[in-house]
Amino acid sequence: VYLRDLIIMKASTTTRRSDYFREQYRWLSHGKVFFMLLFLLTDLALNSTLDYDTYNNQIAKNILLGLFGLQVIVQISIFLVLFLATADTFLFRVGLLGVLIRTFRSVLVIHPIYFAFTLATGAYRVRNLSDSAQLTELWESNRFIALSYLQKIVAVPYYVLNIRATIKLEDPIFYNKEAWIALVNEQRRSR
């Protein structure tokens, strides 16, 4: 009787512990979603204002440079949150990176493209506005107009794909060992 009681107590403790960790993980997962959305909204705000605000004096031009740096840091943070979210998955932990990369290929491809357009547009903006050019002169440049429009066009799939990836990473299947083992066994049987 004593041994049976110990087994029951151990099982209930393990269940309570796993429920506790599951609840903690849920909050951690929602935290990643919150930070991803916060960073995406920050990038959206910077993306929609930096090209249109006037920076006429030297202090304002230093603010422009700081905001451009902030936008770069925010985009790096978005990628890091995405990486940390994928690093928590069962697939990442057991080294099935190929499956993970295939699942999130589009968002992984759009990140460097959008980052390159942001760097090109921001560097062109900062360089020209630092040389005492006015905002109207900047918008008269066909090169800047093309860079700015292309960055804004690439921004749409960037935001959509990041939100989709974040929502997809909320799916419990990515954290369920038994589901992936069953899938692998099913694939082996079908060969």
Side-chain angles (χ1 to χ4, degrees), residues 1-16:
V1 174
Y2 181 71
L3 183 61
R4 193 186 87 178
D5 291 339
L6 280 176
I7 292 171
I8 292 171
M9 282 178 25
K10 177 69 174 165
S12 67
T13 304
T14 305
T15 303
R16 275 184 281 159

Side-chain angles (χ1 to χ4, degrees), residues 12-129:
S12 67
T13 304
T14 305
T15 303
R16 275 184 281 159
R17 196 176 311 142
S18 67
D19 287 344
Y20 171 77
F21 287 122
R22 190 175 301 126
E23 184 67 23
Q24 292 302 316
Y25 171 75
R26 192 169 59 93
W27 280 107
L28 181 65
S29 178
H30 291 317
K32 290 176 190 168
V33 171
F34 171 77
F35 280 111
M36 176 65 89
L37 293 176
L38 178 70
F39 287 138
L40 286 171
L41 287 173
T42 304
D43 184 63
L44 179 65
L46 291 169
N47 197 16
S48 62
T49 61
L50 286 178
D51 289 348
Y52 309 106
D53 291 340
T54 58
Y55 302 96
N56 293 331
N57 59 25
Q58 189 58 38
I59 294 172
K61 289 177 183 173
N62 289 338
I63 291 172
L64 170 67
L65 184 60
L67 290 175
F68 172 56
L70 177 65
Q71 187 175 21
V72 169
I73 290 170
V74 165
Q75 287 183 14
I76 292 170
S77 299
I78 290 169
F79 185 76
L80 286 175
V81 169
L82 182 68
F83 173 76
L84 291 173
T86 57
D88 282 343
T89 64
F90 174 74
L91 297 171
F92 192 93
R93 283 184 275 144
V94 297
L96 295 173
L97 298 179
V99 176
L100 205 54
I101 288 172
R102 269 184 262 127
T103 305
F104 297 102
R105 177 178 288 150
S106 55
V107 73
L108 294 173
V109 167
I110 198 76
H111 267 273
I113 294 169
Y114 181 65
F115 190 70
F117 275 117
T118 298
L119 286 177
T121 305
Y124 192 86
R125 181 187 327 108
V126 168
R127 186 175 54 99
N128 284 323
L129 290 178

Side-chain angles (χ1 to χ4, degrees), residues 139-159:
W139 278 102
E140 291 171 357
S141 166
N142 289 336
R143 183 175 294 148
F144 178 75
I145 291 171
L147 280 173
S148 182
Y149 283 169
L150 285 172
Q151 185 211 17
K152 305 307 186 259
I153 290 168
V154 171
V156 174
Y158 173 80
Y159 297 133

